[in-house]
Amino acid sequence: TKTGECGAVEAEMVAYLSGTNVTTGLYKVISATANTIVFPAATFVEGDGWVDDLVCNVGGAFDTLENAIDETDATDNNVIIYTNKDEALSAPIDLDGSWGSEANGTYKRVKGFTTLPEDTGKATYTDAGPSAAGFIMGAIKNCIMENLIVDGTFSGAWSNWYIVDSGAQHIRIINCEAHNAAASGFLIGRGYDIVLIDCVSSASTLYGFRVYFSSSSVQGTFINCIAYDNTRNGFQLGGEISSVAIGCVAYGNGGTTYSGFLVIGASGHASGCYNCVSYNNGLHGFELNNASAFAINCIASGNGPASGSSYGFFNVAATGTWAVPVVMNCCAYDNSNNASPGTQNYSLVLPERDSIEVDPLFVDAAGDDFRLLPGSPCLNTGKRTLGDGYASMGAWQQKQRGSIIGAQNV
């Protein structure tokens, strides 16, 4: 009890207590008035003098995101960290320590916001001279990162988001962005069950989104993500475990030498693309390597230089049964910008089952709107691989960079 000092405290808040007859630690507030805060009775040890030296800290905020991450423990309880503080990083933020617990079913979540925690604003992290990535993820589990932007050419040729440890598992990165990376925007170098949803990567020196395919025990899933203006591939998929892109768009990537999507299958592990769009990328639309690579319900349009051997769907391996990837219910149009559209749309990607070579009729591809107009030949001509209502070709949810809608046409 302290007269007039407790008015801003509310039930369910967390307090840090220390003193002679209290077990130092974090405790939940049961109730509070203007003068009194009530904690569980077991918090205190009976005795004289405990009131005099009791220290009670309630509320406040951590000064940096890394401190908030390091000083919270989600082993036994879920932890949600909200941040609306933009930071210039002088060192990478290492995401390690006490995250969620598989055994206890708990998680730690970091969510950016602008004004209120419920809004969709984002916190931004820029380069102030660190020697590595913006976020480095070690051997953590049950991690959710949401509404965060990393923008800067961090020294040392590191990626802005880098998952580096094979112990990284059950990670969700939602509505986050990477821009101007010295290497890749998002790099999954190790780990399992890594899922990126509604993320954007642009202007990276290397790849927009990359699963480092030569690493063992690495797997990534990309849902409704957008890659544009990256120097190399917008998406590179592979790994020793299957990786997949669903509803993703790659445009304006690769200069004149890299494709929108590069898919590298591994023996016994298929990787590929469902309902993706590759538009106006430097080389091929979809570059597929061996029979474990696939593209289903995808659209490739306007890819490749004005002349040269560029295709909408291209088979990297030239011969052999094992070398033939699968392309089903896809649309390829005007790739290599040929005078006669359709002459270089498919290369050694048989059987090309139910695929077409016609204008997909985007709403406004030049304006980054890849929805399909009424009457598009890609509507209701795809393969029903993702459930009822997803039978059209293309990225049926993508309207423009960073904006997701729920209609597949207009």
Side-chain angles (χ1 to χ4, degrees):
T1 298
K2 196 165 185 179
T3 303
E5 296 294 324
C6 307
V9 180
E10 299 179 5
E12 304 296 321
M13 282 186 171
V14 175
Y16 180 82
L17 300 179
S18 63
T20 303
N21 291 327
V22 62
T23 302
T24 299
L26 298 171
Y27 296 93
K28 183 170 69 174
V29 175
I30 295 177
S31 63
T33 66
N35 303 322
T36 302
I37 305 173
V38 178
F39 296 101
T43 302
F44 303 99
V45 178
E46 294 294 336
D48 295 330
W50 67 269
V51 173
D52 295 331
D53 69 351
L54 176 68
V55 176
C56 176
N57 295 313
V58 185
F62 294 100
D63 55 347
T64 67
L65 178 58
E66 184 158 23
N67 283 342
I69 291 171
D70 289 345
E71 296 180 26
T72 54
D73 187 343
T75 302
D76 297 314
N77 298 283
N78 296 331
V79 172
I80 302 177
I81 300 169
Y82 294 101
T83 177
N84 65 346
K85 181 181 180 180
D86 297 338
E87 296 184 44
L89 302 179
S90 58
I93 295 180
D94 288 317
L95 305 183
D96 50 19
S98 299
W99 284 77
S101 165
E102 285 186 291
N104 297 331
T106 58
Y107 63 85
K108 184 181 290 188
R109 176 188 180 196
V110 177
K111 183 179 185 295
F113 69 99
T114 302
T115 304
L116 296 172
E118 297 81 17
D119 67 33
T120 57
K122 299 179 181 180
T124 300
Y125 301 86
T126 54
D127 177 12
S131 59
F135 291 104
I136 298 178
M137 296 185 177
I140 62 176
K141 298 180 180 180
N142 295 24
C143 162
I144 304 172
M145 305 291 286
E146 187 173 359
N147 296 358
L148 304 170
I149 300 172
V150 180
D151 189 347
T153 306
F154 295 91
S155 61
W158 289 80
S159 301
N160 284 3
W161 295 76
Y162 186 16
I163 301 174
V164 68
D165 197 290
S166 58
Q169 296 181 18
H170 316 309
I171 293 174
R172 301 294 181 265
I173 303 176
I174 304 170
N175 199 30
C176 292
E177 302 180 25
H179 304 288
N180 302 300
S184 299
F186 295 85
L187 173 59
I188 304 175
R190 298 286 192 277
Y192 174 74
D193 187 26
I194 316 297
V195 182
L196 279 65
I197 304 170
D198 296 342
C199 293
V200 176
S201 180
S202 75
S204 297
T205 301
L206 297 180
Y207 306 89
F209 299 87
R210 187 186 190 195
V211 178
Y212 189 50
F213 61 88
S214 64
S215 299
S216 61
S217 300
V218 58
Q219 179 271 339
T221 300
F222 306 97
I223 302 174
N224 297 341
C225 295
I226 302 173
Y228 66 94
D229 296 345
N230 297 285
T231 302
R232 295 190 180 181
N233 306 113
F235 294 83
Q236 185 186 82
L237 306 176
E240 292 302 315
I241 305 174
S242 300
S243 295
V244 66
I246 303 171
C248 296
V249 172
Y251 64 92
N253 302 284
T256 60
T257 54
Y258 289 88
S259 305
F261 292 81
L262 171 61
V263 182
I264 303 175
S267 178
H269 300 287
S271 292
C273 305
Y274 293 101
N275 288 89
C276 294
V277 169
S278 186
Y279 174 79
N280 192 32
N281 296 287
L283 190 59
H284 309 296
F286 294 84
E287 191 172 350
L288 308 171
N289 192 338
N290 78 41
S292 290
F294 64 86
I296 300 174
N297 293 354
C298 295
I299 300 175
S301 178
N303 298 285
S307 61
S309 299
S310 295
Y311 297 86
F313 296 85
F314 179 74
N315 180 9
V316 178
T319 60
T321 302
W322 175 247
V324 182
V326 174
V327 174
M328 300 176 62
N329 297 81
C330 291
C331 175
Y333 177 75
D334 197 19
N335 294 286
S336 280
N337 296 320
N338 290 289
S340 301
T343 58
Q344 290 191 177
N345 286 324
Y346 299 96
S347 171
L348 299 175
V349 291
L350 297 175
E352 300 170 15
R353 285 171 281 188
D354 298 315
S355 294
I356 57 179
E357 299 181 61
V358 292
D359 188 342
L361 297 180
F362 294 127
V363 170
D364 181 13
D368 313 328
D369 190 338
F370 298 99
R371 293 175 298 168
L372 302 174
L373 287 167
S376 167
C378 298
L379 286 171
N380 302 313
T381 52
K383 183 176 179 62
R384 291 186 181 274
T385 56
L386 301 177
D388 291 341
Y390 294 2
S392 294
M393 300 176 188
W396 52 276
Q397 284 189 313
Q398 299 287 11
K399 179 180 180 182
Q400 57 191 3
R401 70 183 70 155
S403 177
I404 309 300
I405 63 170
Q408 57 188 12
N409 54 34
V410 294

